Amino acid sequence: MTRRRCRQIMVGAVPVGGDAPVPVQSMLNVPTRDLAAAAAQLESLRRAGAGIVRLAVDGEADVAALRELVKQTPLPLVADIQFDRASALGAIRAGAAAVRVNPGLFPAEGAEFSALAATLIEHGTAIRVGANSGSIGEAAVREACRRGLDRDAALAQVLAEKTLRQCEALEKCGVYHVKAALKASSVGVTVAANRFFAARSELPLHIGVTEAGTNYRGTIKSACGIGALLLEGIGDTIRVSLTGAPEQEVRAGIAILEACGRRDAASEIVSCPTCGRTAVDLEALAGRVEALIARLRSAGTVLPYRKIAVMGCPVNGPGEARDADFGIAGTRTGELLLFRRGEVLGVFSADEAMEQLEKLLAPPPSGE
């Protein structure tokens, strides 16, 4: 895979675009003005692996809270501006790493647009021009359809053209720390719009399928849309938009990046689909192993292992999964085999096997 060449910008201390790693973004689902709740969720997202976090800023109370949150978290904070233009300027002055604005909120002419550009330049703040299919005027879509495009193709093209115009207007004002986001709830429209934009601009792209849905359906839609673009080299930050806890968005985003080869899978966990030979609760066991890996990572443990296998029976355990650095496999008696590169290390109960696996992955310091 060849990654699309694009400009690198800074969102706080995080490089975006160029050859920088692709960070996973999420968004707080608590009010920004609820300082305690917002701070707690930011820390939870940091531990989950988020690289950038967006939050809603809709007035002076949110701006004041943002000013305090910037001091409390190392994560770059992106102020999401939807209704109040003054909040955009306030968020920049409060220390936001970036602001997200819809092109319709700041038309590319007039004093308010000029004031936004000047404030961005003054504070060295990045801006995300975020457009979605719901904000596209119907007249522009109908006009594109009259040019021979079907509705989805027309929607994708209009979405990209509108975003391009806003980005070009910012650059004419001297704003260069710009990234774009073009989203739709349709996977096809999202992919087409981003392809169209990527072929005509060197700005970095934040990608995702908006309003994707619940954890199950939303993750599948996001994996299809985000994955398709990543495999084409398109995408410099990502968000998996789910109806649920934002930490789940981060976990899903990390998994998509790993599956697409855009992020090293630090100890990839593989597990078999089970069959009639399985005599253990493999789904629960795999969940325990995932939780163990997540806990070790959040504690700062370096895991230099490529693959950890969780298998239902000895056939798929030390046999087919012999290339795994470590693995657990069920037995006919319900006990668990622990193995290392195909070599059986012992047979244990579930709790004992987890204890032994943790010692293998993160051995205690000598002398303990």
Side-chain angles (χ1 to χ4, degrees):
M1 292 182 295
T2 300
R3 187 169 174 182
R4 164 181 169 261
R5 292 179 61 87
C6 73
R7 178 189 306 169
Q8 185 175 102
I9 68 169
M10 298 299 296
V11 178
V14 175
V16 171
D19 59 357
V22 178
V24 176
Q25 182 171 310
S26 186
M27 184 171 182
L28 298 189
N29 64 3
V30 298
T32 302
R33 65 195 67 191
D34 186 342
L35 194 56
Q41 197 167 79
L42 279 170
E43 177 57 18
S44 179
L45 287 168
R46 185 194 66 78
R47 292 197 304 268
I52 300 172
V53 176
R54 186 158 52 110
L55 38 74
V57 178
D58 296 321
E60 293 181 4
D62 288 336
V63 170
L66 171 62
R67 183 175 289 107
E68 294 304 312
L69 292 170
V70 167
K71 301 172 186 176
Q72 296 179 26
T73 181
L75 291 169
L77 301 183
V78 179
D80 185 75
I81 312 298
Q82 293 287 353
F83 307 110
D84 180 23
R85 295 186 183 94
S87 291
L89 305 186
I92 296 168
R93 293 167 181 147
V99 291
R100 183 269 186 186
V101 299
N102 189 299
L105 186 63
F106 281 92
E109 65 272 334
E112 290 178 322
F113 185 83
S114 299
L116 173 65
T119 309
L120 288 167
I121 294 168
E122 178 186 354
H123 293 269
T125 306
I127 183 170
R128 168 181 152 189
V129 177
N132 60 65
S133 56
S135 64
I136 298 300
E138 185 62 28
V141 176
R142 287 198 299 267
E143 175 59 30
C145 289
R146 283 195 287 269
R147 298 199 300 265
L149 298 176
D150 64 43
R151 181 169 178 80
D152 279 0
L155 186 57
Q157 184 168 316
V158 171
L159 184 61
E161 289 173 342
K162 185 173 185 178
T163 307
L164 280 165
R165 286 195 296 271
Q166 188 82 349
C167 292
E168 290 167 355
L170 285 165
E171 290 191 293
K172 287 180 181 178
C173 292
V175 179
Y176 298 105
H177 289 280
V178 181
K179 66 174 178 175
L182 305 86
K183 296 185 180 183
S185 57
S186 160
V187 171
V189 172
T190 298
V191 171
N194 279 276
R195 284 174 176 163
F196 189 97
F197 186 96
R200 292 161 176 80
S201 173
E202 292 190 349
L203 293 178
L205 274 164
H206 169 78
I207 60 173
V209 179
T210 193
E211 302 160 3
T214 59
N215 284 347
Y216 173 69
R217 294 188 62 82
T219 299
I220 290 173
K221 286 180 69 174
S222 297
C224 292
I226 295 172
L229 291 167
L230 289 173
L231 289 171
E232 294 180 17
I234 298 171
D236 303 290
T237 67
I238 70 169
R239 181 192 176 190
V240 178
S241 298
L242 301 177
T243 305
E247 294 84 357
Q248 179 60 28
E249 295 185 348
V250 176
R251 287 188 284 270
I254 290 172
I256 291 171
L257 287 174
E258 290 177 349
C260 293
R262 290 300 179 193
R263 178 173 178 147
D264 288 338
S267 298
E268 177 187 11
I269 300 171
V270 299
S271 58
C272 72
T274 75
C275 68
R277 287 183 291 268
T278 305
V280 298
D281 186 346
L282 194 68
E283 184 178 1
L285 180 61
R288 291 185 68 177
V289 174
E290 286 182 340
L292 170 62
I293 299 301
R295 177 164 58 82
L296 293 174
R297 285 178 178 174
S298 65
T301 303
V302 177
L303 299 173
Y305 308 110
R306 183 180 56 86
K307 183 186 294 186
I308 297 169
V310 185
M311 314 304 281
C313 71
V315 173
N316 287 336
E320 293 184 12
R322 66 174 59 253
D323 66 327
D325 294 282
F326 295 104
I328 291 179
T331 68
R332 291 179 179 177
T333 64
E335 294 179 299
L336 299 174
L337 285 174
L338 190 61
F339 60 94
R340 175 172 50 202
R341 293 200 170 275
E343 176 189 356
V344 176
L345 302 177
V347 181
F348 306 93
S349 69
D351 289 342
E352 290 172 334
M354 293 302 300
E355 290 175 5
Q356 293 298 318
L357 179 60
E358 182 168 0
K359 289 179 181 177
L360 290 167
L361 294 174
S366 59
E368 291 190 6

